[in-house]
Amino acid sequence: MNVSINGRDGVGKSTQMRLLSEFNNGEVHITKPLISYSKGWPTLSGKQFSEWWFEIVSVEQLTDMIIDSLNQRNADKKNDAITVLDRGVNMFKSFSVATWMTRGLSFSDAVCRVDKQFVCSLVQTNLEHEILLLPSKKYEDSVREYQCLSAKPTPEEYTNAQNRRYACYQRHLAQAMRH
């Protein structure tokens, strides 16, 4: 069985994946982040990755990389364990739609392009049971003590333009996820 953990950035997906992997007796198989399944992903820091994602790579190429990585990830499952996916197919379709919209395409045109690309290139996927995490103050309070166990480096400063673009992308992502 495949279970995908989905949601907007900062909602707790990575925390839940980490907790599942730490408190697991082998009955749950956690897949790697999607970018680990294809050599095409660049190894860039936050600022440069943002430039690459929204300015350099074409959305068609980005979506192809996502689909290629999903196809590779489909082979990384264990028949005797529940496979937990770091985001599911629908979440990655939403990423692509939101990226198109952030670059100026209408919602309906973005959905049409992404759907066509996924239909043409995504190899048969296994059924996913999707879990959608929503922002919650109660959740944030409940995991705070666990978050401090794995300190993260301070995030790189982004430019004001990158921050505005990211906020716009997040609004488009929410719209695509609702669809």
Side-chain angles (χ1 to χ4, degrees), residues 44-152:
L44 301 170
S45 67
K47 214 183 243 187
Q48 287 99 10
F49 193 79
S50 175
E51 290 171 359
W52 175 82
W53 185 286
F54 292 106
E55 298 171 28
I56 297 171
V57 68
S58 73
V59 183
E60 293 93 341
Q61 184 181 5
L62 175 66
T63 303
D64 279 340
M65 290 173 65
I66 289 171
I67 293 169
D68 178 57
S69 298
L70 287 169
N71 287 335
Q72 302 279 339
R73 185 179 77 177
N74 284 339
D76 185 16
K77 64 176 183 151
K78 298 195 177 183
N79 293 329
D80 58 343
I82 297 169
T83 299
V84 178
L85 308 169
D86 181 4
R87 300 173 183 91
V89 170
N90 286 326
M91 190 72 210
F92 286 109
K93 287 174 85 173
S94 295
F95 282 4
S96 295
V97 168
T99 302
W100 270 117
M101 292 173 66
T102 302
R103 291 195 182 185
L105 203 61
S106 72
F107 176 73
S108 59
D109 287 344
V111 168
C112 184
R113 286 186 187 202
V114 169
D115 282 345
K116 283 181 185 175
Q117 219 171 337
F118 269 75
V119 165
C120 290
S121 301
L122 186 65
V123 176
Q124 176 67 29
T125 61
N126 299 314
L127 175 66
E128 287 178 18
H129 299 278
E130 298 174 302
I131 296 173
L132 177 61
L133 300 180
L134 300 172
S136 164
K137 177 75 170 126
K138 184 176 178 181
Y139 164 77
E140 289 173 15
D141 292 343
S142 73
V143 296
R144 184 163 287 116
E145 69 180 277
Y146 299 107
Q147 289 174 322
C148 66
L149 295 176
S150 59
K152 297 177 185 173

Side-chain angles (χ1 to χ4, degrees), residues 7-18:
R8 292 172 56 187
D9 289 354
V11 77
K13 296 178 302 295
S14 297
T15 300
Q16 289 302 314
M17 299 285 287
R18 188 179 72 249

